Amino acid sequence: MVAEREGAVVMKGHEEGMKQAGALLKEFGLPEGLLPLEEVVEVSYDAEIHGFIEQGRIKKLKGVKAKELFIWAPVGDITLDNPPTGNIHFKSLAGITKTFPVHAFAAGQ
């Protein structure tokens, strides 16, 4: 477990966390408006969100849930297509995948 935490970025507080999240998303080629989706009622966030970020992907994501019909399913993986097709995929831990256009998650959208 210690090896997974080496190099981790930990932020306290909403404002600092939001700035750092936006910077990390941009650095790894993900849309800056991806987290948090404040105006989307089908997404909920725990007080703490964590996962592993790499180029075009967030894996082992914890603390984010998406509403699918009447069930709140934890989102475990967010992936951009490679090569780029303009789509982003959200995969729940239950195996349900939803695909959306990347531009829907641009900052300020």
Side-chain angles (χ1 to χ4, degrees):
M1 189 67 126
V2 174
E4 289 182 352
R5 294 180 182 241
E6 287 180 21
V9 176
V10 178
M11 300 301 297
K12 302 272 185 189
H14 179 75
E15 200 166 313
E16 282 302 310
M18 290 297 299
K19 280 191 228 176
Q20 184 64 34
L24 283 171
L25 291 169
K26 185 176 181 178
E27 180 182 340
F28 287 94
L30 293 160
E32 292 179 60
L34 188 59
L35 296 173
L37 305 174
E38 294 173 354
E39 297 175 13
V40 180
V41 295
E42 291 86 15
V43 177
S44 72
Y45 298 93
D46 291 346
E48 185 176 303
I49 299 170
H50 56 92
F52 297 89
I53 190 167
E54 55 190 47
Q55 191 63 36
R57 182 176 183 198
I58 301 173
K59 62 183 182 178
K60 297 184 182 180
L61 184 61
K62 304 271 192 234
V64 179
K65 293 180 183 173
K67 191 172 184 181
E68 180 61 35
L69 296 176
F70 300 106
I71 300 169
W72 286 92
V75 176
D77 200 73
I78 300 173
T79 309
L80 289 173
D81 284 335
N82 187 11
T85 63
N87 290 323
I88 188 166
H89 310 279
F90 296 79
K91 185 176 181 182
S92 76
L93 298 177
I96 300 167
T97 300
K98 291 290 222 172
T99 300
F100 300 96
V102 172
H103 66 80
F105 300 96
Q109 293 296 317

